[in-house]
Amino acid sequence: VSTQSTWALLQSGLLALNTQEAYQTRSFNVNDPMCHKVFQRLARKLPHSYRKNSALVCRISGAYMDSNNPPMVLPNGSVFSYKILEEIYKTNGVIVCPSTFKSYHWNDLRKAFVL
């Protein structure tokens, strides 16, 4: 495979993932290539994709949030998946927000409803 072919394939993938939201550091997700600076630099001059439908993805686990793994809101407004928060709570007896490092109890959580 030539270098030119490799670059064309890489650009095709980046085109699909290149959204304006991908450049916001607060929405970092280790499973999203566009959250990494190297891919952001490569995609900077490419057009942004438009997504009519989107998915909620947990910033900690990278898992999709849906009716089986609903989004849960901490009192500080941070949103994570039910399953990862349950796992953290069972392990530590408390939930520590990775953004603010504040501790919360299970009863402090609220289920988010997305329309």
Side-chain angles (χ1 to χ4, degrees):
V1 179
S2 71
T3 304
Q4 191 173 15
S5 297
T6 303
W7 176 238
L9 290 170
L10 181 60
Q11 280 184 312
S12 297
L14 292 175
L15 275 170
L17 300 171
N18 192 28
T19 63
Q20 291 178 337
E21 294 80 19
Y23 298 92
Q24 297 177 2
T25 56
R26 66 187 181 103
S27 64
F28 185 83
N29 180 338
V30 295
N31 295 320
D32 182 357
M34 287 305 298
C35 286
H36 299 279
K37 298 291 183 196
V38 172
F39 291 114
Q40 288 179 358
R41 280 194 298 269
L42 291 171
R44 185 138 335 257
K45 293 183 181 178
L46 298 174
H48 293 296
S49 68
Y50 173 75
R51 292 186 188 163
K52 187 173 180 180
N53 297 317
S54 59
L56 295 175
V57 179
C58 179
R59 291 187 298 167
I60 299 172
S61 66
Y64 287 105
M65 293 184 273
D66 55 21
S67 59
N68 296 319
N69 187 23
M72 301 297 287
V73 183
L74 296 177
N76 65 2
S78 294
V79 178
F80 304 102
S81 71
Y82 178 93
K83 289 180 181 177
I84 194 68
L85 292 177
E86 181 180 45
E87 185 179 314
I88 291 169
Y89 190 75
K90 284 180 179 178
T91 303
N92 304 324
V94 69
I95 298 166
V96 179
C97 177
S99 303
T100 63
F101 302 106
K102 290 188 178 180
S103 297
Y104 300 103
H105 292 283
W106 189 259
N107 291 336
D108 296 331
L109 301 175
R110 296 291 174 248
K111 187 175 180 180
F113 293 92
V114 181
L115 303 176

